[in-house]
Amino acid sequence: MNTARSGPASHRTIQTGGLFDFRLSDELLRRIDFAAWMAWALIQTFMPLDASALLYLLAAYFSGSMILRYREFMQPLATCWPMFLLPLLAFLSAIWAPSASEAVRKGMLLALTAVIGIYVARQLTARQIIFSIFAVNAAAAILSAMSPEVYNGGATGVFDQKNVLAFSMFLTVTSGVVLLLDRAVPLYFRVLALPVIPIAFWMMLQAQSATIVILSVPMSFGLAVQVLVWSNLRQIKHLRSLLVLFGIAVAAFAAMLLFGVFGFDALEALLGSVGKDSTLTGRTVLWAQAERLMEQHPWTGVGANGFWRPEVGEANSILRLFHYSAYTQFSFHNSYLENGVQFGYPGMFATAFLGVWCVYRAVRTWLMRQDLHNAYFMFLGLLIFVRSFTEIDLAGELAWAFILIYIAAARKNPQPRATAPAG
């Protein structure tokens, strides 16, 4: 089974052993890909548990399409090899994990997470991806505002956890800002999107997620600076470099005054401003437990899905410590420690390398072409990387944030138009 170009470059013939050869235009293929991605985003956002069969069906579509177009994806797959470190560790851990079948399944799903990120990044345009992120999460923002479900620990909206709501509202605000600043987006859509942004921001505040609140405003401000200031500075040679150096100097001087002269405690002030204590809502207790478990199994870990299990006494003790009367799925609220417990120190260091590599790739893409869309994915990758220290964004198979940081890392700048000057 293979994919071959036939006739004009705008059409492609899918050959299946001569039985069902058919010809599709590249435009139709892109529309199908976009529809599949929109369906994935909707299901992932609103029905992550109850529609797993549909998610698997869409994952099969993405992976099958990649196989059909294998010639186009051989180079991206080779370039994105760090994405397959965690699947490899999961497969290897099947040898000692409590359940070999669960370890193999986790490895397959982690590999599919990478495949989906690479496929979407290469087949859809940046504007299509950002539009889909906004459309789905804007619906979640409006529905959550209609039924916020505010508790003492923060609002949950249409989701089951406040952190999930906060991340969804962050995506709504930042992608909405991009659409407002993107001059190629029709004016009527920008007008419709405008009122959704303050609604999403209000719901983000109600969710009381410190990391999201702290980083969402700088990211939105950075996107505005990208369009209104940074893009216009390229006309003056070396002005950007001078401004960056000036900014670094001012930041270094301010840090010296605050921390060296006045003894400012930034962590306490930051946590106090968002209503958090010094334990980060008990996370430091979880992290200490994870570090102790890693010391017990330094090179192998307990295996994929080997700790958070009903029969594991230590897992149940942690749940009772956090006032759960019955077993429920839990985590260490840290991607590196979560993978470290499962795969030992190799898993922790592989996750750290993966996170740094994803951020490097996103920053590199922006440096090569400093436009609004690349700035968005750079900031998004940075946010998910920072969040991975307090959430398991880089440890969950088929996780929404995991796929998004993979998209940020796997994207490439589009080729210039034929009429544009070379370079």
Side-chain angles (χ1 to χ4, degrees), residues 36-37 40-41 43-45 55 58-59 62 83 109-122 124 129 132-133 167 171 354 357-358 377 380-381 384 392-411:
W37 171 243
W40 175 276
I43 296 170
Q44 182 81 299
T45 301
L55 286 179
L58 289 169
F62 291 124
M83 297 183 183
L109 292 179
L110 286 173
L112 277 176
T113 305
V115 166
I116 293 170
I118 296 170
Y119 186 86
V120 172
R122 294 305 177 105
L124 300 183
I129 298 171
S132 63
I133 292 172
F167 186 65
L171 293 176
L354 176 63
W357 177 84
C358 286
F377 285 105
L380 182 61
I384 295 174
I392 58 168
D393 290 343
L394 303 185
E397 56 271 23
L398 299 182
W400 189 219
F402 212 169
I403 292 176
L404 289 178
I405 197 173
Y406 277 167
I407 291 174
R411 290 182 62 253

Side-chain angles (χ1 to χ4, degrees), residues 133-261:
I133 292 172
F134 176 79
V136 171
N137 289 283
I142 295 172
L143 293 174
S144 295
M146 294 171 62
S147 179
E149 298 294 334
V150 178
Y151 299 103
N152 292 332
T156 59
V158 296
F159 303 99
D160 57 351
Q161 296 180 29
K162 68 184 186 71
N163 289 334
V164 179
L165 172 66
F167 186 65
S168 176
M169 297 305 98
F170 162 80
L171 293 176
T172 307
V173 170
T174 54
S175 60
V177 169
V178 172
L179 295 177
L180 285 177
L181 296 173
D182 189 348
R183 296 182 179 90
V185 174
L187 179 61
Y188 70 87
F189 186 83
R190 296 157 76 180
V191 171
L192 291 175
L194 182 61
V196 178
I197 296 176
I199 293 174
F201 186 77
W202 177 74
M203 288 304 303
M204 187 196 310
L205 294 176
Q206 296 301 309
Q208 300 179 23
S209 177
T211 305
I212 296 297
V213 172
I214 291 167
L215 295 178
S216 62
V217 175
M219 178 171 171
S220 300
F221 178 76
L223 292 171
V225 170
Q226 165 71 43
V227 172
L228 303 176
V229 179
W230 191 259
S231 297
N232 297 322
L233 295 180
R234 61 186 174 187
Q235 300 175 7
I236 304 176
K237 192 175 182 180
H238 302 309
L239 183 57
R240 287 177 171 179
S241 300
L242 289 174
L243 285 177
V244 170
L245 292 174
F246 177 74
I248 293 174
V250 170
F253 180 72
M256 183 181 65
L257 286 179
L258 286 173
F259 303 115
V261 178

Side-chain angles (χ1 to χ4, degrees), residues 371-387:
D371 61 14
L372 175 62
H373 296 150
N374 286 346
Y376 172 79
F377 285 105
M378 178 184 66
F379 286 130
L380 182 61
L382 285 167
L383 180 278
I384 295 174
F385 176 69
V386 171
R387 207 176 97 108

